[in-house]
Amino acid sequence: MVRKAVWLVLLSCSAVILSWRVAGAADETTKFRILLTNDDGIRAEGLIALAKEMRTLDAEVVVVAPAEDQSGMSHALTYHDPFRVEEVRSEKGELFGYSVNGTPADSVLLGAKVMMAEHPPNLVISGINRGENLGAVSHLSGTVGAAMEATTLGIPAIAVSLGRAQPMDYAYAAKVTKTIALAVREHGLPKGTCLNVNVPSLPENQIKGLVVVPQSDWRGEIRHEKRADLFNRPYFWRGFTVTAPEAPPDTDVAAFYSGHVTVTPIKLDWTDQAELPELKKWGLAERKKE
């Protein structure tokens, strides 16, 4: 039974790759190609809304996303387990995309290097995430990690998140994402840079506009709750408390909580250029090994 299950999965993978080569046969050199992913899982409402909006463009849109929720995975990659790629269809039987039993960054790699290997994507969009990814929280985000993985491949990328609310309405965030995607298509992005976009969960008529702002160092409060199992052995749940924080003006956090859509360019290169000269004065290179 196990062998049969694996064989069926492998067959489906081969069919997936072949189907994309055949489906993309026409006008491959000029077609704009977009790869969509997320960290909330392939059936997440935000990804469905994003795919619906992006498919109104004259572009080839391919969805490759984690099979399950992978929030908080940052830029993690899987090395010790095999990947299973499966078709995901709508209730009407229409092909929506492909699920991957891995992280958001895994999904980008498989999407760009396997599913779209013959004709790679021109743009990767990760989202729409359930909950904002502002400040230093973006370092933890699988949504942002997926966009960063695309950046390592030299592909322009956008990470998009919608502020927490009940209920979540992704329609406006999807429209904003399409506008930004078209701008990226027109202007491009510098090598090693992607965009982190955060949309307040407000009615469209209450959005004050879109601003391009730097990232703050806010991370919110990470807490741990101690409990005991039936054998009185301790275990811990980790939680994240989100409150409207105080933040320097003209940063992503301040702008977001004042009702603006925020766009922040972030880089792969974490080098603190200003600190390099000072660090060289420490004489570390000249010190003898003890």
Side-chain angles (χ1 to χ4, degrees):
M1 181 62 70
V2 174
R3 289 182 179 178
K4 183 177 180 181
V6 172
W7 175 242
L8 288 173
V9 171
L10 290 175
L11 280 177
S12 70
C13 291
S14 299
V16 163
I17 297 168
L18 178 60
S19 67
W20 278 115
R21 288 178 177 171
V22 173
D27 198 24
E28 289 290 1
T29 56
T30 59
K31 193 84 170 178
F32 192 71
R33 294 175 294 278
I34 303 172
L35 172 61
L36 303 183
T37 192
N38 72 348
D39 74 355
D40 290 327
I42 190 140
R43 293 173 177 81
E45 293 180 8
L47 180 61
I48 293 171
L50 178 62
K52 180 180 179 181
E53 187 68 31
M54 298 310 295
R55 282 171 172 159
T56 65
L57 296 173
D58 181 20
E60 177 187 347
V61 178
V62 180
V63 177
V64 183
E68 306 294 340
D69 190 333
Q70 294 286 317
S71 298
M73 291 302 289
S74 188
H75 201 154
L77 294 177
T78 301
Y79 289 103
H80 301 293
D81 294 296
F83 294 109
R84 305 286 186 243
V85 179
E86 298 182 323
E87 290 185 355
V88 175
R89 295 184 174 274
S90 69
E91 293 180 355
K92 297 180 179 179
E94 299 169 340
L95 179 65
F96 173 70
Y98 304 95
S99 68
V100 175
N101 61 324
T103 68
D106 289 332
S107 300
V108 170
L109 272 174
L110 283 165
K113 292 289 191 178
V114 178
M115 314 297 290
M116 304 176 72
E118 193 169 336
H119 301 284
N122 306 107
L123 176 66
V124 171
I125 306 177
S126 178
I128 301 168
N129 188 65
R130 183 181 180 87
E132 61 270 25
N133 282 303
L134 298 163
V137 173
S138 59
H139 288 278
L140 308 175
S141 165
T143 303
V144 175
M148 279 293 190
E149 181 57 34
T151 304
T152 68
L153 300 176
I155 304 170
I158 306 168
V160 187
S161 303
L162 177 65
R164 293 170 179 82
Q166 291 296 336
M168 299 286 286
D169 183 359
Y170 295 93
Y172 175 68
K175 288 195 298 183
V176 170
T177 303
K178 183 169 72 172
T179 299
I180 296 171
L182 290 172
V184 170
R185 179 180 182 177
E186 179 181 357
H187 299 285
L189 287 173
K191 182 179 178 181
T193 296
C194 65
L195 301 182
N196 185 25
V197 179
N198 284 275
V199 182
S201 200
L202 296 171
E204 184 173 350
N205 61 5
Q206 294 182 25
I207 297 290
K208 295 181 180 179
L210 183 151
V211 292
V212 178
V213 287
Q215 175 184 302
S216 72
D217 60 2
W218 173 79
R219 196 180 75 155
E221 180 186 352
I222 295 178
R223 52 186 172 76
H224 297 87
E225 183 176 317
K226 185 178 180 180
R227 300 183 183 181
D229 64 17
L230 294 176
F231 300 96
N232 204 35
R233 294 174 302 193
Y235 67 94
F236 297 86
W237 277 108
R238 175 172 292 159
F240 190 78
T241 301
V242 178
T243 56
E246 293 185 5
D250 301 323
T251 64
D252 58 349
V253 170
F256 175 87
Y257 281 101
S258 67
H260 293 82
V261 176
T262 65
V263 179
T264 301
I266 55 179
K267 298 180 66 175
L268 283 172
D269 184 358
W270 290 2
T271 306
D272 185 344
Q273 298 290 344
E275 185 62 19
L276 280 175
E278 178 62 30
L279 196 59
K280 290 177 180 178
K281 295 177 183 177
W282 292 10
L284 294 175
E286 291 76 27
R287 291 187 182 183
K288 295 180 179 180
K289 293 183 180 180
E290 296 182 0

